Amino acid sequence: MSEFDDLLADNAKYAAGFTGSDLTGRAARGLAVVTCMDSRIDPLGLLGLVPGDAKILRNAGARVTDDVLRTLVLAVFLLGVERVLVMPHTDCGMSKVSDNDVHALAQQQGVDTRSLEFHTVPDQQAALRHDLTRIRTTPFFPHPLPVGGAIYDVHTGRLQPVEL
Ligand SMILES: [Zn+2]
């Protein structure tokens, strides 16, 4: 008995009907999506994708961090990625707090988080444009990579293009 029994039970059902054994690790549609960890976002469903189509990179706020860049470079050289969509979303928790707010919250519980950079988002459009530029100007891609940005509306399911 563990806190994960429900997941193991559901996985057994999933595996019983599994049909993905012929997929490879390459992105069949040449796409990587950088999006938020928000549990309302279904990145495959909202973009008409199925497993095998795209690399999905998720973190708090859909930020292009060093680790996201590292992953994109690997995805380009090893896994067939030829285009990147950065997709933050409306009503994002990361746009409602500052790093200092989070530090203060943690401090109330006796935890010092000041050595962490949370990459909170005071201005979502500005953060997205910054992150798109970061990908476009990285020297680690072998050729210019199509890079797009759009904000996903969690209340309508629609994408609002910012730079596409
Ligand atoms: Zn979010």
Side-chain angles (χ1 to χ4, degrees), residues 20 22-33 44 47-56 75-76 78-83:
D22 292 335
L23 293 176
T24 74
R26 293 183 72 79
R29 289 178 63 176
L31 175 68
V33 179
L44 297 184
L47 295 169
L49 304 170
V50 295
D53 279 349
K55 301 298 166 191
I56 310 296
V76 166
L78 301 178
L79 300 171
V81 165
E82 299 168 335
R83 53 184 174 150

Side-chain angles (χ1 to χ4, degrees), residues 36-38 41 60-61 89 91-94:
C36 185
M37 66 175 175
D38 193 288
I41 302 171
H89 64 100
D91 197 38
C92 183
M94 290 286 283

Side-chain angles (χ1 to χ4, degrees), residues 129 131-138 141 145 147-149 163:
R129 290 182 197 284
D131 286 353
L132 295 173
T133 299
R134 188 157 193 224
I135 297 173
R136 289 193 181 110
T137 58
T138 185
F141 296 127
L145 210 58
V147 177
E163 288 186 28

Side-chain angles (χ1 to χ4, degrees), residues 35-84:
T35 194
C36 185
M37 66 175 175
D38 193 288
S39 47
R40 293 168 290 187
I41 302 171
D42 170 11
L44 297 184
L46 78 94
L47 295 169
L49 304 170
V50 295
D53 279 349
K55 301 298 166 191
I56 310 296
L57 287 60
R58 302 186 73 156
N59 63 26
R63 300 310 311 275
V64 177
T65 60
D66 287 350
D67 197 61
V68 166
L69 266 186
R70 171 191 74 94
T71 304
L72 288 175
V73 170
L74 288 168
V76 166
F77 282 104
L78 301 178
L79 300 171
V81 165
E82 299 168 335
R83 53 184 174 150
V84 180

